Structures are given as C-alpha cells and as structure tokens.
Amino acid sequence: MEGIREETVGIFSKLKQATVWAHGRWLLFRQLFADEHGERIPLLNQTSPMMFNVILYAMLDDLTLFLCKVTDRPQMMGRQNMVVEQLVLAVAEDYTTAVGANVAPGPVDRLRDLRDRLRASIDSASQVVGPLREYRNKIIAHWDWDLAQGTNVAPLPDRSRDLVERSLRAVAAVLNVFEFENTGTQTIYYPSLSGRDGRALIRALREAEAYRGLVALGRAPEILLPARGETPI
C-alpha cells in the first residue's frame, strides 16, 4: 500500500508472529483440556492430576499475560512497548507524512481510513480483553491485598475458554485490518501444528492406559520402575 513505511510493516510482522504463536499455544491447550466428550480430563487425572493442573493454569496464565501485554499502553514508565497500539500510531505517522509530502488524495484517504479502522478495532479488542486484564493485575502480576484477605472485594471475572477465545480473535482482527489493506490478504490465526502436539500426548497416555490393562490381565510384562525415592534421571 502506498505510503506505508517499512517500519510500520515491521511492527505488524512482529505482532503477527507473536499472535500466531499465541494461537498455537491456545490450540495445544484445547487439545489437552477442551474435553467436550468427557474423555480426556479423566485420563489426565488418572495419569497425574497435580501435574496437569499445574500445566492448565500455567498455560492459562501465559495466554492471559500475552493478551494483556499486547493490548497494553504503548509506553509505560518511559519505556516503549510492542503492542497493537503501536500499529495505529505508526499508520497515523504514515498519514501525516503523506499529507506533508503532497501524496495524491487516494492513498492519503486510504491511510486515514486505515488509521480510523485500526483505532476502532483496537478499542474493541481492549474492551474484550478487559476482564483478563483485571485478572492479570490482581492475581498474576500482583497479589491484590483485599482479594487475598477476602474483605470487601468483588469476585474476579470468570476466566473462561470463551473469553480467551474471543480475546484472541479480537487481537487477530486488529492485525487483519492492517494486513488486508496493505496486501489484500488476511491470516487464519490457527497454525497447523506438527504431529507432536497435544493430541500426540493424549494418544500416548491412552496407549499407556491400554498397556496397564494388558499387564493387569497378565498379557504383557510389567515395566520395571525405579524404586520409591529414586530419581529416574
């Protein structure tokens, strides 16, 4: 698109790469814990309930932090942040530069329209992510005093799968506004993961469960494990 600087495209590219990987991590989460048929969670709990509970909350916290930081303010404590707001600021600068350089009205109008649509999309994304930001501020990044004491505090918003899903879509929508205007294409932000993903882990756990059943029936040898207290490393 005429008038878009390489610096602006570079900001977009970094945000896009991070957002694609965030969607990848969310897909891994869903492969493990989105148990519509009621089969995977019992398997995980039978295998190692404490371990998978830690993994569940670690992955949720990781995605919460990503969604909050990418929709944070562009500058905090005098330091610049790589956030979606930087994209609209860069496009606004592109527009101002184009006006000053007496670029033809068509490209100037497109830059102004892109700036305004990015602003609307970012405002919408920030609103969607808002409940997660409250969770980030009071639980993950800090430990809210009143919440810890259990006194005079409203309950935190539910950090549901639907909220995380909508937040990811909202951030992707911001980037697709820019990408479509600049290249005429958009990105589907769910990457194709390799075979070694969450489904592979579930498959291996099911195979282990089946093997334990064969051992119990005397149809397979029992695997010798380290004695209790030994470190198997």
Side-chain angles (χ1 to χ4, degrees):
M1 175 180 174
E2 185 177 352
I4 294 289
R5 295 168 298 147
E6 289 187 9
E7 179 183 350
T8 304
V9 175
I11 293 171
F12 162 77
S13 297
K14 289 181 174 64
L15 290 168
K16 177 180 177 178
Q17 182 179 12
T19 303
V20 167
W21 176 225
H23 279 78
R25 300 198 300 278
W26 179 239
L27 182 55
L28 290 172
F29 179 92
R30 289 174 55 197
Q31 289 174 345
L32 289 178
F33 302 111
D35 195 11
E36 290 85 355
H37 302 293
E39 299 174 350
R40 279 172 275 178
I41 297 301
L43 178 64
L44 299 180
N45 286 336
Q46 179 181 344
T47 304
S48 182
M50 181 178 293
M51 173 61 71
F52 285 109
N53 189 64
V54 169
I55 292 173
L56 184 149
Y57 283 103
M59 294 183 77
L60 270 180
D61 287 351
D62 168 63
L63 286 160
T64 298
L65 286 171
F66 168 78
L67 288 163
C68 291
K69 72 182 181 182
V70 82
T71 55
D72 265 337
R73 296 190 299 275
Q75 183 171 336
M76 293 181 178
M77 305 294 291
R79 295 185 177 182
Q80 295 290 319
N81 296 320
M82 179 57 72
V83 296
V84 291
E85 183 78 22
Q86 295 285 9
L87 193 56
V88 72
L89 292 176
V91 170
E93 186 175 343
D94 294 339
Y95 167 71
T96 301
T97 301
V99 171
N102 294 318
V103 174
V108 169
D109 291 343
R110 288 179 63 191
L111 284 169
R112 183 181 62 245
D113 179 62
L114 175 59
R115 179 200 62 190
D116 294 344
R117 285 189 290 117
L118 279 172
R119 166 53 55 206
S121 187
I122 289 171
D123 289 346
S124 177
S126 296
Q127 185 174 3
V128 174
V129 176
L132 291 177
R133 180 165 286 104
E134 184 176 357
Y135 203 96
R136 187 270 308 263
N137 293 343
K138 292 188 175 183
I139 290 291
I140 303 175
H142 309 281
W143 193 5
D144 182 79
W145 174 267
D146 289 332
L147 189 66
Q149 297 287 71
T151 57
N152 300 322
V153 61
L156 286 174
D158 182 25
R159 190 168 53 158
S160 64
R161 277 172 39 208
D162 177 68
L163 176 58
V164 175
E165 186 86 38
R166 288 188 292 109
S167 298
L168 283 167
R169 286 201 304 266
V171 171
V174 173
L175 300 178
N176 272 331
V177 167
F178 178 87
E179 184 169 15
F180 185 76
E181 187 64 39
N182 190 47
T183 66
T185 63
Q186 291 184 318
T187 296
I188 299 175
Y189 278 88
Y190 277 105
S192 176
L193 302 177
S194 68
R196 297 179 179 180
D197 54 9
R199 292 171 299 182
L201 176 57
I202 293 295
R203 189 179 308 113
L205 293 178
R206 284 173 176 159
E207 290 171 352
E209 183 183 37
Y211 189 86
R212 286 195 297 268
L214 292 175
V215 170
L217 294 173
R219 297 171 57 185
E222 185 172 1
I223 299 175
L224 296 178
L225 299 176
R228 186 178 298 276
E230 290 186 15
T231 302
I233 297 178

